[in-house]
Amino acid sequence: MKKSSFFQLGTAVAAAVVIGLFPGCKPKAPGQVGVGDAATKTYVAPGQYDEFYNIVSGGFNGQMSVVGLPSGRVFRIVPVFSVNPESGYGYSEESKAMLNTSFGFVPWDDLHHIALSTTKGEHDGRWAFGNANNTPRVARVDLTTFETTEIIELPNSGGNHSSPFITENSEYVVASSRFSVPIGTDAQRDVPINTYKENFKGTVSFISVDTEGGMKLAFQLVAPPVNFDLARSGKGKSHGWFFFSCYNTEAAYSLLEVNASQKDKDYIMALNWKKAEEYIKEGKGTMTKARYAHNKMDHHSFTATSTILEEVLQLDPSVLKDIIYFIPCPKSPHGCDVDPSGEYIVGSGKLAAQIPVFSFTKLMKAIEDKDFEGDYAGHPVVRYESALHGIVEKPGLGPLHTEFDGKGNAYTSMFVSSEVVKWDIATLQVLDRIPTYYSVGHICIPGGPTAKPHGKYLIAYNKITKDRYLPTGPELCHAAQLYDISGDKMKLLLDFPTIGEPHYAEALPASLIKDKQVTFYKLEENTHPYAAKGEGEAKVVRKGKEIHVYMTSIRSHFSPDNIEGVKIGDEVYFHVTNLEQDWDVPHGFAIRGAKTAETLIMPGATQTLKWVPERVGVVPFYCTDFCSALHQEMQGYIRISPANSNVELKYSLGETSPQ
């Protein structure tokens, strides 16, 4: 098959193509969209449940959101990489360590992608993983509590956009670097930027996941100095392989929009991770110095710990061989997606007007026959035609990301022409197209990246919402759109705003995890060192300048609720234990003058808020989370005296007259 002309398409030509092919693809006003019975298809009656949980990236807010489908209702924001005043995440003494890094405490990040754990290629409902793009990290969220349980930092990574991607049995979560950087010793890292081609490297990190979800940076591959974008693991017949889109094969380091667009192609990188494991077993890896943090939350003590690690096992595939192969693809690819069978790999350029589809079977034959057209940075480049299954012709412009419905169909988002295109994987024929509003990025089909998609809905996550919602100043909300894909033709059902800037999302059947939710923590299993498991254990203890308040909360009072003898300059630690043993009865704790946040305490848990008083007087504290009809009465007072005061430290509950 002849190499397609899409390798030569530039921006100007691309714009001309989309105008010529799709002059009317974007409606003039939102009223042009016919929705028919859409409202009845998305309505979830009171007392009934949504069919799917949709776990959505928050982009630059650093969090995940939990959305019900088909309703589009936001159920929860899960704090992951950014502090969260609503819950006290990152502010409470117990949770601060979750945001520790080798750079110190980092209270924010940019979460782009979600990966849900799988067994035999199917969602198993155990964990959700997310990436930190700026300070490279990967987080694990427990889907029985929807709380962030573990975060591991990635050394030798300039940026963690291409992450997290999971193997079909959750053996590894894989992360590759967006920005190549010099790695190694201080002397190896302190090099001129214009020595990029000689001294910069990419990395691919393999994080192993044990049966309890525990993560470990198992090994790292040193890669050529490209920019990695997205990836997918093989499944079925392609299990043991990973496929990455990569750009900037020019090794540019300035004005990439021009200098990384010089060649007529970039690559899909095929990586044989089973071969890498073989080399490790043979002892061919090298332990190298690398400083990074590994943070874990213990749900018995409700306290996070942070460990700084000092080395990582590295492999250099340019020396060991048989690990990395490149497949030519259109310029500046974004998505790199594998169909449910594991046979077909889809990748295309962000300004291309065609979609190449590669065959894993053909790729293996080309590698076996050494059917190469040269090498890139010491790695073989498979002949394009030899790996190609075929080309989807004229799908639209700007193909980004592809999902699958499990019925033999693929769906690709078209950023430039603002649409989703449905096509047949076997015949490569375009079957349907529908507009999005506007500039769609990622799309999600429940189970779409797995071996068992649930081909009922497709959600488009859009970058622009001009004229879709009431305006809110210079910045408009980002949006998602829900489409019915159960029939031959896609139908728009619902628009709904999103939290932050959504990038990728995954959805799984609600039935998989709904009845596995933790409803409260058992008090008898609370191992927090400052827990008060009953009001009889409530007390206030001075240790020099530190004051520790062993406090309980229950509907509808704190114990103690009157404290005196605290002085200016003391550090007061409120250790609040929620005595409730019932579902959905958290209590909040806040005090005037706190420079951090409130803290939210789940039933049976203990959380600590540190407070340093600065003014003499009587200061109130109160519950911030509605808990009962007498929620407003759930309060207390703390008296602050001068530093040289001789006021005795004392505490009480229920006193109504002077002592």
Side-chain angles (χ1 to χ4, degrees), residues 137-185:
R137 288 169 284 175
V138 168
R140 177 172 61 88
V141 171
D142 186 331
L143 291 181
T144 66
T145 60
F146 283 93
E147 295 179 351
T148 302
T149 299
E150 191 171 7
I151 296 177
I152 190 166
E153 189 179 359
L154 302 174
N156 302 314
S157 175
N160 184 36
H161 179 264
S162 184
S163 164
F165 307 106
I166 196 161
T167 54
E168 68 174 344
N169 289 304
S170 305
E171 300 98 334
Y172 294 106
V173 173
V174 177
S176 47
S177 55
R178 174 181 177 181
F179 310 107
S180 290
V181 292
I183 62 176
T185 64

Side-chain angles (χ1 to χ4, degrees), residues 115 134 243 293 449:
N134 185 67
F243 306 95

Side-chain angles (χ1 to χ4, degrees), residues 399-606:
L400 289 187
H401 172 224
T402 299
E403 293 268 291
F404 306 91
D405 64 6
K407 304 171 187 175
N409 303 310
Y411 300 74
T412 301
S413 57
M414 299 287 173
F415 178 79
V416 179
S417 52
S418 289
E419 59 185 330
V420 173
V421 174
K422 175 183 178 180
W423 48 277
D424 186 289
I425 301 171
T427 67
L428 306 175
Q429 297 301 303
V430 172
L431 304 175
D432 190 25
R433 65 177 71 249
I434 195 166
T436 60
Y437 307 92
Y438 306 98
S439 299
V440 58
H442 284 280
I443 55 177
C444 167
I445 292 174
T450 74
K452 186 182 178 182
H454 308 278
K456 186 174 183 178
Y457 300 116
L458 179 146
I459 310 95
Y461 301 96
N462 305 326
K463 302 302 184 185
I464 297 173
T465 60
K466 286 185 174 72
D467 76 23
R468 299 303 290 177
Y469 303 104
L470 289 172
T472 53
E475 183 183 23
L476 302 177
C477 64
H478 294 277
Q481 290 178 302
L482 179 73
Y483 296 88
D484 181 348
I485 60 169
S486 60
D488 291 336
K489 296 293 183 180
M490 294 178 279
K491 296 178 182 178
L492 176 62
L493 299 179
L494 183 69
D495 275 12
F496 57 96
T498 61
I499 304 300
E501 180 196 3
H503 289 261
Y504 186 53
E506 286 198 39
L508 74 168
S511 59
L512 198 58
I513 62 174
K514 178 176 71 70
D515 297 329
K516 298 178 181 178
Q517 297 303 296
V518 171
T519 55
F520 60 86
Y521 296 103
K522 295 179 181 179
L523 268 175
E524 62 267 26
E525 296 178 359
N526 183 331
T527 62
H528 194 289
Y530 291 97
K533 297 183 183 181
E535 289 186 1
E537 298 180 16
K539 58 185 176 181
V540 181
V541 177
R542 177 180 285 279
K543 296 180 180 178
K545 287 289 187 179
E546 291 184 3
I547 291 179
H548 293 270
V549 181
Y550 294 70
M551 180 175 282
T552 63
S553 61
I554 195 166
R555 288 167 285 188
S556 293
H557 64 270
F558 294 102
S559 180
D561 65 1
N562 281 195
I563 303 171
E564 299 188 25
V566 177
K567 303 174 185 180
I568 297 294
D570 286 338
E571 293 183 348
V572 184
Y573 293 86
F574 293 95
H575 309 288
V576 186
T577 301
N578 184 343
L579 298 181
E580 308 285 356
Q581 292 290 268
D582 194 6
W583 195 7
D584 196 28
V585 193
H587 289 295
F589 178 85
I591 186 165
R592 195 186 74 190
K595 295 182 178 179
T596 51
E598 66 173 339
T599 188
L600 201 61
I601 310 102
M602 295 299 112
T606 303

